[in-house]
Amino acid sequence: MEYTITEQKPTRALLVEADTGDYDAEASLAELFELTESAGAIPVAAITQKLQRLDPAACVGSGKLLEIRDYCENEDIDLIIFDLELSPVQIRNIEKETDVRVIDRTMLILDIFALRAKSREGKIQVELAQLKYMMPRLTGKGVEMSRLGGGIGTRGPGETKLETDRRHIKRRMETLKAQLRDVEDHRKQLRERRDKDGVITVAIVGYTNAGKSTLMNTLTDAGVLSEDKLFATLDPTSRALKLPNGVSVMLIDTVGLVRRLPHHLVDAFKSTLEEAAQADIILNVCDASSEESRLHLDVTRELLASLSSLDKPIIPVLNKCDLITDNMTGISGAVRISAKYGQGIDDLLKAIEDNLPKKLKRVKLLLPFDKAGMAAKLRETAVLHSEEYTAEGLLVEVTVDEIQYGRIREYVLKD
């Protein structure tokens, strides 16, 4: 028996921007193109309308809605994506007029999250965010609910739950919150263990698609997914990095940020972002080739401020500098790099060393043979460069912090 495999036709999407002047509509629309491509659809075109205020019935005016309808008919459009958050009534009215499925910016972002989440925590967070978003939109969604079953805006762990009643969804949300608390407790225990062991953590944060995962791979060969797509990394990844001075740190890659990220999405992913908030050093990475690079740095810094992280050393990292000639002056303490080609990595490592939370000393010791326990402790907790058995005792070269130095001071060899 022969089977015919039919390839699924790519989703053709029309993007709609309702510009009320509340934000940079042009930049936001450009980002929506990238988001649409990251979700696996083809952004065919965009239609924009300047408005003093949004139409409560269909977001855009009646004439513009007819233009959208005609374009969809003529260009075989499968999906309409609005670059703002729509009400259930607006979605229903637009779909009725155009006979095309409609989603908004938040639904698109949730869809990408659902596509990218791999870990248990990531999947829980995605489903919880989906349910929070859909909960107030359940009333009167009979037509839309019957159309769920695949495609952009309908994917994810929570899709089969949306046809149940509100009470069941509330129970599911409580279950997810309990599961998330368990994961957060486990993450907290890991952080406490790292603190107890004196592990120094360095978090890579920044706007999505800034090259954070590429930087992670360059520094540690971690093999983290690195694609030119928004939200390519959703789950945090931790890898050890040994600095040139011999000190080892834990490098953490986190989910990227995006402009106008709905507040409940920030809340849902708070535990992931707290990995950055709890780090000893924060690398604020931006795409220096983007016209929005300074804004991206500020967006990230604002989020860090909301997580009470501004007391930590924050190093601005200007990535993709191989694509620009502008020096981007005026950014205090910034390091220019190209993670893709390895340019400026030595400068970045030096900046990390300069911001280590503990003052470190590299010293030579001569430990008596009866201090074998001290030597064993140094092997576990310090950076051991060399050791050699001599007639007088164990000759050791190590890098230690101030506390460790106080314990071994009497055995330090003077130059």
Side-chain angles (χ1 to χ4, degrees):
M1 181 180 295
E2 294 184 359
Y3 295 92
T4 302
I5 300 175
T6 58
E7 293 186 5
Q8 187 175 357
K9 186 184 75 167
T11 300
R12 291 169 56 82
L14 172 66
L15 313 187
V16 179
E17 182 70 63
D19 182 6
T20 58
D22 294 335
Y23 52 86
D24 187 338
E26 185 178 346
S28 186
L29 184 60
E31 183 177 89
L32 191 66
F33 267 90
E34 290 189 67
L35 287 167
T36 302
E37 290 174 341
S38 292
I42 300 173
V44 177
I47 291 178
T48 302
Q49 183 177 32
K50 288 185 177 294
L51 297 165
Q52 286 189 333
R53 61 180 180 274
L54 301 177
D55 187 321
C59 186
V60 295
S62 56
K64 186 62 67 173
L65 185 57
L66 293 177
E67 180 185 337
I68 292 171
R69 181 198 66 185
D70 294 342
Y71 189 92
C72 291
E73 289 179 356
N74 296 332
E75 300 298 329
D76 191 26
I77 297 298
D78 307 303
L79 179 67
I80 301 172
I81 306 175
F82 275 71
D83 192 26
L84 43 72
E85 197 165 290
L86 297 171
S87 70
V89 171
Q90 289 171 331
I91 291 176
R92 189 162 58 248
N93 289 340
I94 299 167
E95 288 189 339
K96 183 178 180 181
E97 181 63 43
T98 63
D99 196 32
V100 176
R101 190 162 62 87
V102 175
I103 66 172
D104 61 20
R105 181 186 181 86
T106 302
M107 294 165 70
L108 180 63
I109 292 174
L110 280 169
D111 183 82
I112 298 172
F113 280 173
L115 198 62
R116 301 280 185 249
K118 303 300 179 189
S119 71
R120 177 170 174 259
E121 179 182 16
K123 291 177 180 178
I124 291 172
Q125 290 170 326
V126 167
E127 184 176 354
L128 185 58
Q130 286 177 322
L131 293 179
K132 281 183 177 180
Y133 181 74
M134 293 302 297
M135 187 67 172
R137 291 167 167 76
L138 291 177
T139 304
K141 285 188 66 69
V143 175
E144 292 84 352
M145 297 305 256
S146 67
R147 298 168 77 166
L148 287 174
I152 294 169
T154 66
R155 281 187 286 233
E159 64 190 11
T160 58
K161 311 296 186 296
L162 302 181
E163 295 174 345
T164 60
D165 60 20
R166 284 178 174 272
R167 187 167 53 189
H168 182 82
I169 290 179
K170 284 182 178 178
R171 283 200 303 267
R172 179 61 182 164
M173 287 173 67
E174 290 304 315
T175 300
L176 289 171
K177 288 176 183 177
Q179 292 176 358
L180 194 55
R181 282 194 294 271
D182 290 341
V183 176
E184 289 171 350
D185 288 343
H186 178 64
R187 188 181 294 281
K188 183 179 178 182
Q189 290 171 5
L190 290 178
R191 281 200 299 263
E192 290 173 348
R193 177 63 185 270
R194 288 201 299 256
D195 291 342
K196 184 178 179 181
D197 292 344
V199 176
I200 299 170
T201 52
V202 179
I204 305 176
V205 302
Y207 204 83
T208 190
N209 209 30
K212 298 186 300 300
S213 296
T214 303
L215 177 58
M216 181 83 160
N217 291 340
T218 299
L219 293 174
T220 69
D221 295 323
V224 179
L225 173 65
S226 177
E227 298 180 8
D228 188 22
K229 291 182 178 180
L230 298 185
F231 300 114
T233 303
L234 183 61
D235 300 310
T237 303
S238 301
R239 292 291 185 274
L241 167 65
K242 193 166 188 177
L243 298 173
N245 66 1
V247 176
S248 292
V249 300
M250 185 69 71
L251 201 62
I252 302 170
D253 186 21
T254 58
V255 62
L257 309 177
V258 65
R259 81 179 70 242
R260 295 165 51 221
L261 186 65
H263 64 89
H264 56 266
L265 283 184
V266 174
D267 291 341
F269 285 79
K270 189 176 180 182
S271 65
T272 301
L273 296 171
E274 279 182 347
E275 280 293 281
Q278 299 293 330
D280 297 295
I281 300 172
I282 298 172
L283 306 182
N284 184 0
V285 182
C286 78
D287 176 358
S289 66
S290 168
E291 294 180 356
E292 302 284 312
S293 55
R294 291 179 186 269
L295 175 62
H296 295 174
L297 287 172
D298 291 340
V299 168
T300 306
R301 195 170 180 86
E302 286 173 10
L303 179 62
L304 292 172
S306 71
L307 295 172
S308 302
S309 298
L310 294 185
D311 58 333
K312 311 287 180 66
I314 300 176
I315 303 172
V317 181
L318 312 182
N319 190 26
K320 306 186 185 180
C321 280
D322 55 297
L323 302 178
I324 64 170
T325 55
D326 177 30
N327 288 326
M328 288 188 68
T329 57
I331 302 176
S332 178
V335 180
R336 292 166 52 88
I337 69 164
S338 170
K340 184 176 181 180
Y341 296 107
Q343 299 172 6
I345 296 301
D346 289 343
D347 293 335
L348 178 58
L349 294 174
K350 178 66 166 58
I352 295 173
E353 288 181 350
D354 291 343
N355 285 278
L356 289 171
K358 300 172 183 176
K359 292 183 179 179
L360 303 171
K361 296 176 181 287
R362 183 163 175 161
V363 294
K364 289 183 179 180
L365 314 172
L366 183 61
L367 296 175
F369 290 117
D370 62 355
K371 296 296 180 181
M374 181 176 289
K377 187 69 174 177
L378 287 172
R379 293 187 191 101
E380 291 179 8
T381 61
V383 178
L384 184 65
H385 302 289
S386 65
E387 59 178 310
E388 178 185 353
Y389 285 94
T390 68
E392 293 80 18
L394 182 61
L395 185 63
V396 181
E397 186 172 3
V398 292
T399 295
V400 293
D401 59 36
E402 289 180 313
I403 296 176
Q404 292 169 319
Y405 181 77
R407 295 171 183 155
I408 61 172
R409 184 193 301 268
E410 62 182 291
Y411 305 108
V412 174
L413 296 176
K414 304 299 182 184
D415 292 332

